[in-house]
Amino acid sequence: MIRVLWTEMRRGESRWVAAVIAAVGLWHFAGDDAATSDWVGWWAQTAVEVQVFAVMVMGPMTAAAAAWTAGRVHRFRTVAWAEATARGAWSQAVVVWASAMAWTVAAYALLVAVAFGRTAEVSAVTAPVWTPLLLGASVVGLQAAVGVAVGSLVPSRIVAPLVGIGWYGCLVALALTGADGTGFPSALLPAIDEHWDMSFQPRAERLLTATAWCLSAGLSVLALPGLLRRRATRPRVALLLAPVLVAAVSAGLLLTYRPAEPELAWAVRTPQPERPVCTTSGRTTACLWPEDRHLLPVARGAAKAVDAALGSVPGLNRTFYERGLRPEDPATTGELPVMSAGTGQQDMTEQMMSASLPLPPSGCDVPLMKQAGGYPGTFFFEAVVRGRAGAPAPYWGDEFDAALGRFSATPRATQDGWIETAAEAIRACRPMPLLPQAAAARQDAEAPHGTAAGSADGTADGSAP
């Protein structure tokens, strides 16, 4: 059996396809910039990235190569000889499938080593995640098994490229429909394309169930050519019971599973650490997951820059926790979204500046601010904070800019009082307080006729009549 497999590996077209896959994968995984990549540095996301490449690129190409190899007996007109051999039809299909998968798995292992090596260069923690990789290999095996079955049943040269295109189109269509990983067919075609930062970990038991489903379903599919065409060498039904039973049970578990949170079909939230990694500069504190402690120098520089920019501005969030960490006081704590495990100080500084702004409660319809052109009050608040930090504010019209200019001309103590009150209003979903100039004008309007608010002798500027 081993000699037959080795002969098939040397004769088949899968070796050339695997070489192309390895070249494309090396270009992809070795060429991504660690500073901007969303997978380099996070073990779970690195495994997901390799799995996605395997399912979307390696799988369709391997299925096409397997279909071409399986159709060789039809092209060479040796079907009668193949049926007369001592090996049954199922065994012959398994050999063709194994020869294609052997080359593909070798390329897969090379890409895993390259991707994990890049993550090890960035991350201070060495904890590879394997379950998404097992799932990716099993899905490729299912795709190759379908290719072998179709190539054996349909004696046409055009079948091989159609199998590859069909698999790729099916997966793309599944992704475009927004499938959540539950129900049919997304649960049975587990191409996981999700972003897993430190907030998430793979749901190992469900990924292993999907792996068992793909492998058992692939072995069952390989028996179809013998059952449908080669009656002289049909597979034994007793031998088929084991993979069919495993496929049925695992498929039932996948289809009936309903997660508590729909967006977490394949993942679970990472348990909270006993103590996050934090750095403090003045009034500003930034906390990270312990597994992201390699970003501590970046967070320290960003906290220093944010503290210098915001100074003594009141009412802002000055404590930042990386996404997924639960702070003690969420009302006055900003979420720090780290989009890359190799993020730089400038990006983290901008993220902290954005997270410093108070947020309205969930479901709040932010009140509009007529004094600033009818825009939401949070727009004006952000512009005020940006101005105090020396950053350019977005342009929202002449009326908005005029109100911002009048506000900037008021004394610093008056600005601080308005900012603190406005921050409380935003967190409570209340209308923004009147701007200092508008408040003074309203006091003038409400003063008794002939008496100004700022004069004790009946004049607006305190001069003599």
Side-chain angles (χ1 to χ4, degrees):
M1 187 70 172
I2 300 299
R3 182 177 298 178
V4 175
L5 176 61
W6 176 242
T7 301
E8 191 63 51
M9 290 176 61
R10 289 188 291 112
R11 292 179 57 197
E13 294 76 16
S14 299
R15 50 180 177 163
W16 307 115
V17 174
V20 173
I21 290 173
V24 175
L26 288 175
W27 173 80
H28 172 66
F29 290 105
D32 271 7
D33 185 6
T36 58
S37 170
D38 63 351
W39 62 268
V40 178
W42 285 324
W43 290 104
Q45 185 60 27
T46 301
V48 169
E49 188 74 13
V50 179
Q51 178 265 158
V52 170
F53 181 84
V55 173
M56 299 299 296
V57 179
M58 301 178 71
M61 295 180 67
T62 303
W68 182 267
T69 303
R72 184 192 305 127
V73 293
H74 298 286
R75 295 193 303 273
F76 293 171
R77 302 181 185 278
T78 58
V79 177
W81 176 84
E83 291 184 353
T85 59
R87 292 184 296 114
W90 196 13
S91 300
Q92 296 177 32
V94 169
V95 168
V96 174
W97 174 81
S99 66
M101 285 299 297
W103 290 112
T104 301
V105 168
Y108 192 54
L110 174 64
L111 300 183
V112 170
V114 172
F116 275 14
R118 302 235 22 222
T119 290
E121 294 175 357
V122 174
S123 177
V125 177
T126 305
V129 178
W130 299 103
T131 46
L133 299 176
L134 296 176
L135 178 60
S138 66
V139 175
V140 174
L142 175 60
Q143 293 171 304
V146 173
V148 172
V150 175
S152 301
L153 292 172
V154 184
S156 176
R157 295 176 183 270
I158 196 61
V159 164
L162 288 180
V163 168
I165 295 173
W167 267 117
Y168 185 79
C170 178
L171 295 170
V172 170
L174 190 64
L176 293 178
T177 57
D180 61 357
T182 60
F184 181 83
S186 60
L188 301 183
L189 292 177
I192 302 173
D193 187 8
E194 300 174 359
H195 183 73
W196 291 350
D197 55 12
M198 285 310 307
S199 304
F200 305 104
Q201 291 181 346
R203 193 182 296 273
E205 66 277 6
R206 189 157 191 261
L207 267 65
L208 293 177
T209 302
T211 300
W213 144 253
C214 291
L215 291 178
S216 57
L219 289 176
S220 303
V221 167
L222 290 174
L224 289 179
L227 292 174
L228 298 178
R229 297 192 62 173
R230 300 176 182 177
R231 298 183 178 180
T233 56
R234 295 178 64 184
R236 296 180 181 179
V237 177
L239 296 178
L240 272 173
L241 288 178
V244 170
L245 182 61
V246 173
V249 172
S250 55
L253 293 175
L254 293 174
L255 291 174
T256 57
Y257 174 79
R258 292 296 180 270
E261 300 178 72
E263 69 275 11
L264 298 180
W266 301 101
V268 294
R269 297 195 181 276
T270 306
Q272 292 294 305
E274 294 183 1
R275 181 178 300 176
V277 179
C278 300
T279 179
T280 301
S281 177
R283 301 183 180 186
T284 305
T285 300
C287 296
L288 305 171
W289 287 91
E291 289 79 2
D292 279 345
R293 57 179 175 265
H294 62 279
L295 290 174
L296 191 60
V298 177
R300 185 178 296 113
K304 184 178 180 180
V306 169
D307 191 73
L310 297 181
S312 59
V313 180
L316 303 181
N317 301 325
R318 304 300 290 267
T319 303
F320 308 97
Y321 279 76
E322 188 178 355
R323 180 172 50 194
L325 291 173
R326 289 196 292 268
E328 296 179 359
D329 185 12
T332 58
T333 303
E335 182 184 72
L336 180 60
V338 179
M339 303 307 297
S340 169
T343 187
Q345 180 175 327
Q346 182 178 357
D347 292 337
M348 188 171 288
T349 301
E350 294 176 356
Q351 293 167 4
M352 285 188 187
M353 289 292 295
S354 299
S356 68
L357 301 174
L359 294 177
S362 178
C364 171
D365 189 6
V366 180
L368 302 181
M369 192 173 179
K370 295 183 179 180
Q371 299 165 274
Y375 291 99
T378 52
F379 287 18
F380 189 83
F381 187 91
E382 180 181 0
V384 167
V385 173
R386 283 180 172 272
R388 289 285 294 268
Y395 177 77
W396 296 107
D398 294 339
E399 188 176 356
F400 187 94
D401 276 9
L404 186 60
R406 291 193 301 270
F407 179 86
S408 301
T410 59
R412 184 61 61 92
T414 304
Q415 294 183 23
D416 288 348
W418 184 91
I419 292 174
E420 188 171 7
T421 305
E424 295 176 358
I426 292 174
R427 293 189 177 101
C429 195
R430 295 196 306 264
M432 300 290 282
L434 291 176
L435 296 179
Q437 293 87 349
R442 187 180 66 175
Q443 292 175 2
D444 292 343
E446 294 176 352
H449 181 67
T451 304
S455 172
D457 54 3
T459 61
D461 56 358
S463 59

